[in-house]
Amino acid sequence: MSTATAHADHHLKETFISKYVFSMDHKMISKQFLITGIIMGVIGMGMSIAFRLQLAWPDTSFPILEWLFGRWAPDGKLDPGFYMGLVTIHGTIMVFYVLTAGLSGTFANLLIPLQCGARDMASPFMNMLSYWFFFLSSVVLLSSVFVETGPASGGWTIYPPLSALPKAMAGSGAGMTLWLVAIILFIASSLLGGINYISTVLNMRTKGMTMTRLPLTIWALFLTAVLGLLSFPVLLGGGLLLMFDRGFGTSFYLSDIWLNGAGALEHTGGSPILFQHLFWFLGHPEVYIIIMPALGITSEVIAVNARKPIFGYTAMVISLLGIAFLSFIVWGHHMFITGMNPMLGTAFLITTLIIAVPSAVKTFNYLATLWRGNIRFTNGMMFAIGLVSMFISGGLTGIFLGNATLDIQLHDTYFVVAHFHIVMGSAAIFGMMAGIYHWYPKMFGRLMNKPLGYLHFWMTFISAYLVFFPMHFMGLAGVPRRYYSFTLLPEYGVWMDVNVLITSAAILGGIAQLIFLYNFFSSIWFGKKSSENPWQATTLEWTTPVEHIHGNWPGEIPTVHRWAYDYSKPGYEEDFIMQTTPDDGQEEQLFETETSPSAPDKKDVPEGETVMFWALIKKWFGSARA
């Protein structure tokens, strides 16, 4: 029996449980990650609107809040402790469950085998376990909202001593324990997935798919997996030590603590600053674990819809490598106000400003790709351009926070909230939406409704800026984050009208996501059927049949002959050339060593590339395995 026949035969024998529940097919697992991430996103968004209502109209009763939260919202007003719990769970859901697992889990699973030319992931069973650890983690986290003492309430960063002392406040009890258990399960999921993604990219590329021919989406997802594999174990260690402090009397993070009515604790010798170092050693790479997949998706969507080769492929790869490396040596800029030695603070300041360089390279390359392109404004393209806008405007404010002197004034104000919600939160969401609209035909075999997609984009784009841009000015005025009500302090009461604007815009953004949900789920059954390659793209996933089969390709896996961005190439009838199209010999000349007398003329080298770099890259990585 041939390989293709075996795959087809296996496909026919699948049951409902093996196909839709405990599936080991990477395409189905990507849908599981996506739909679970969407559900978690709706919950996280609902929580944000709930506490925004409290901030905008603190003296108004909202019966819906009492209906939703029961005793935690008596008379339709949020309990102050539960308000902090909502802020904590909202941040946790959006950072980890939507923007990490929902984004990477979806597109790494969908695209790595398809764009690399592999039948499936290196370990389909580990892939299945990765999703179910994620699902179990989601259930445990949400269950913490329903415990008697309420959800974890120390902020999504769960700093000690609030998180280390179960009796510190209501939100430090069982809810915090469940939060820690959920994160441990989440880290297990991330590590299983990351090992799989890295192994697949390195070992299972099809014949001809060298590392220098990989789409930028795969580079981004690959380096994201490397970041997660190196940084998540640090948070795991920090979380386990926190559990020891909570339940076994250790003092890793505790020292000289006094509790009201209980006197001094016996804990000595620990330091809460140690937890901050462990947390942010994961926390800052986490920022790029979130944004890098979105940047990779944007590279693909912009190149496809600008009908141009991506500008500076080599520079884009180097910038991704630079971001990945530098992300591990900037964590201290979250801790400028902890009493850090000024010399150490200066070192973190310098590395923080340096990491802006590869980020700027990517931005300029996007703009250069768009410049004079034959742009098609598909729904995916709109969100990709929206990401570029968010990445620029949010990234510029990072220069303020990266400066130790300014950060001391702006730390824990709404300026910080504005910065990371634009550059990380909104930008990553826009990248995720660009990917959903672009690869929806590959996931479901149908197209989403285009007018509804435009409506979704503009409502989301406008509301995102209306929500987060005014917060910069609140932060400059010294308004602190995470306050339950601004009516308690007259100095901050002047911002009440701005809070009303922000909350109204947040509700508008929530309505926009309801439009997206309708479009997403209705199009699964009623959307227009898609062709095999609806966007006329060049990469391998568009050579697979619309109907999903195990093994992705019914026959032999295609051989790759060229890079992923051959658009509008002179001398060809079509404005795109598939990677499977035999090469005319020009690209292979690029891999001649720089000492060769027959090295190509400069005009034969893609803009921004050098013969030396390509020769070195080929020497390092070699040819891909068949």
Side-chain angles (χ1 to χ4, degrees):
M1 183 183 293
S2 69
T3 303
T5 307
H7 281 299
D9 184 57
H10 179 62
H11 175 70
L12 292 173
K13 292 179 180 178
E14 281 189 320
T15 65
F16 178 87
I17 296 295
S18 66
K19 182 175 181 180
Y20 294 106
V21 183
F22 297 110
S23 176
M24 287 190 277
D25 181 6
H26 72 98
K27 299 181 292 297
M28 183 57 65
I29 293 172
S30 75
K31 295 179 189 177
Q32 291 174 326
F33 269 105
L34 177 58
I35 292 174
T36 306
I38 287 174
I39 293 170
M40 293 297 284
V42 169
I43 294 170
M45 180 183 65
M47 290 180 173
S48 68
I49 291 175
F51 61 71
R52 284 302 328 171
L53 289 174
Q54 168 63 37
L55 288 171
W57 299 285
D59 300 320
T60 304
S61 176
F62 293 96
I64 190 173
L65 295 181
E66 186 173 13
W67 178 75
L68 286 171
F69 303 120
R71 66 187 181 90
W72 295 113
D75 301 322
K77 297 181 181 179
L78 287 179
D79 174 81
F82 189 70
Y83 168 87
M84 190 59 187
L86 286 184
V87 171
T88 301
I89 302 301
H90 161 78
T92 304
I93 286 176
M94 299 309 293
V95 170
F96 293 113
Y97 293 80
V98 177
L99 297 177
T100 300
L103 182 54
S104 286
T106 297
F107 293 104
N109 271 293
L110 177 69
L111 297 178
I112 286 177
L114 289 176
Q115 291 196 336
C116 287
R119 295 288 185 191
D120 207 313
M121 286 291 181
S123 174
F125 180 72
M126 281 176 59
N127 209 22
M128 180 191 72
L129 284 181
S130 173
Y131 170 72
W132 283 105
F133 270 109
F134 167 59
F135 180 81
L136 184 59
S137 173
S138 304
V139 172
V140 172
L141 182 75
L142 294 179
S143 68
S144 71
V145 179
F146 301 99
V147 298
E148 185 178 358
T149 54
S153 301
W156 78 274
T157 55
I158 59 163
Y159 284 170
L162 287 180
S163 60
L165 295 172
K167 296 181 180 179
M169 62 178 181
S172 300
M176 182 61 71
T177 302
L178 288 171
W179 190 100
L180 289 167
V181 172
I183 289 299
I184 289 171
L185 292 170
F186 181 88
I187 293 171
S189 166
S190 298
L191 295 180
L192 286 168
I195 292 170
N196 228 352
Y197 306 152
I198 294 168
S199 301
T200 305
V201 172
L202 291 180
N203 298 316
M204 299 185 67
R205 304 188 306 276
T206 187
K207 184 178 179 181
M209 181 62 83
T210 57
M211 295 294 282
T212 52
R213 288 175 173 172
L214 286 174
L216 290 170
T217 42
I218 302 302
W219 271 107
L221 292 166
F222 170 71
L223 292 172
T224 298
V226 172
L227 288 183
L229 202 61
L230 295 176
S231 60
F232 269 116
V234 179
L235 179 61
L236 177 61
L240 290 175
L241 297 183
L242 187 57
M243 294 188 80
F244 290 161
D245 276 9
R246 288 175 57 81
F248 299 102
T250 58
S251 301
F252 292 105
Y253 309 129
L254 298 174
S255 183
D256 304 322
I257 302 293
W258 285 73
L259 282 180
N260 186 26
L265 298 178
E266 296 180 357
H267 301 78
T268 58
S271 171
I273 303 301
L274 170 61
F275 179 83
Q276 292 195 33
H277 279 290
L278 295 174
F279 181 88
W280 288 114
F281 191 82
L282 167 276
H284 202 80
E286 171 67 13
V287 171
Y288 295 101
I289 289 171
I290 287 172
I291 197 63
M292 279 174 59
L295 295 175
I297 289 168
T298 298
S299 301
E300 182 73 15
V301 173
I302 284 180
V304 170
N305 291 293
R307 312 311 291 168
K308 283 179 61 180
I310 194 76
F311 183 87
Y313 176 92
T314 305
M316 295 284 258
V317 172
I318 293 174
S319 67
L320 287 171
L321 290 167
I323 288 171
F325 171 73
L326 290 169
S327 68
F328 281 104
I329 53 176
V330 297
W331 81 89
H333 69 222
H334 296 274
M335 302 170 59
F336 283 143
I337 67 166
T338 60
M340 181 183 294
N341 184 298
M343 280 291 288
L344 185 60
T346 302
F348 282 121
L349 185 157
I350 292 170
T351 55
T352 299
L353 296 181
I354 289 174
I355 204 171
V357 175
S359 300
V361 168
K362 297 194 71 63
T363 301
F364 286 124
N365 285 9
Y366 292 143
L367 296 177
T369 304
L370 290 168
W371 178 252
R372 301 184 71 179
N374 185 19
I375 299 175
R376 303 183 308 193
F377 291 102
T378 64
N379 295 150
M381 185 62 158
M382 297 294 284
F383 276 97
I385 296 173
L387 177 143
V388 177
S389 170
M390 294 284 176
F391 197 60
I392 293 172
S393 56
L396 290 173
T397 58
I399 298 173
F400 293 81
L401 296 174
N403 185 304
T405 307
L406 293 174
D407 182 72
I408 290 172
Q409 306 301 318
L410 296 172
H411 190 85
D412 262 347
T413 70
Y414 267 89
F415 194 95
V416 179
V417 178
H419 163 69
F420 80 77
H421 273 89
I422 291 180
V423 75
M424 184 186 76
S426 297
I429 288 290
F430 272 68
M432 185 176 184
M433 290 299 176
I436 291 172
Y437 281 104
H438 186 75
W439 281 288
Y440 191 91
K442 185 49 56 183
M443 285 191 275
F444 298 103
R446 294 179 183 270
L447 297 170
M448 294 179 72
N449 183 282
K450 195 171 182 179
L452 287 180
Y454 285 137
L455 183 61
H456 173 220
F457 168 77
W458 283 113
M459 289 177 66
T460 304
F461 185 78
I462 293 169
S463 65
Y465 270 117
L466 286 178
V467 168
F468 300 119
F469 200 76
M471 291 183 185
H472 291 100
F473 303 100
M474 295 174 66
L476 290 171
V479 180
R481 64 194 290 194
R482 296 177 180 166
Y483 269 38
Y484 170 74
S485 174
F486 292 155
T487 57
L488 303 176
L489 297 172
E491 294 84 356
Y492 303 141
V494 297
W495 295 99
M496 287 305 301
D497 290 341
V498 176
N499 268 314
V500 171
L501 169 66
I502 291 172
T503 301
S504 302
I507 293 171
L508 175 67
I511 294 171
Q513 307 324 305
L514 294 178
I515 294 172
F516 165 75
L517 290 174
Y518 170 78
N519 194 2
F520 181 90
F521 288 105
S522 66
S523 296
I524 294 175
W525 291 281
F526 306 113
K528 180 182 177 182
K529 288 188 176 181
S530 171
S531 61
E532 189 174 279
N533 188 1
W535 312 125
Q536 296 181 315
T538 63
T539 44
L540 285 182
E541 75 270 27
W542 304 109
T543 64
T544 61
V546 175
E547 181 184 356
H548 291 169
I549 59 172
H550 266 292
N552 297 329
W553 287 270
E556 294 295 322
I557 299 177
T559 299
V560 169
H561 297 280
R562 56 180 68 240
W563 75 323
Y565 300 103
D566 265 338
Y567 293 101
S568 303
K569 192 171 183 179
Y572 289 83
E573 293 183 6
E574 299 284 350
D575 71 343
F576 70 104
I577 310 168
M578 301 295 294
Q579 284 191 281
T580 55
T581 303
D583 188 60
D584 54 14
Q586 291 184 5
E587 190 200 42
E588 291 303 320
Q589 293 176 6
L590 297 174
F591 297 103
E592 297 290 337
T593 64
E594 70 277 10
T595 58
S596 171
S598 59
D601 295 331
K602 188 173 182 180
K603 62 183 176 59
D604 291 324
V605 184
E607 189 172 359
E609 319 296 2
T610 65
V611 175
M612 180 183 293
F613 176 82
W614 286 102
L616 286 173
I617 288 292
K618 187 168 187 183
K619 181 179 179 181
W620 290 341
F621 293 110
S623 299
R625 298 184 184 182

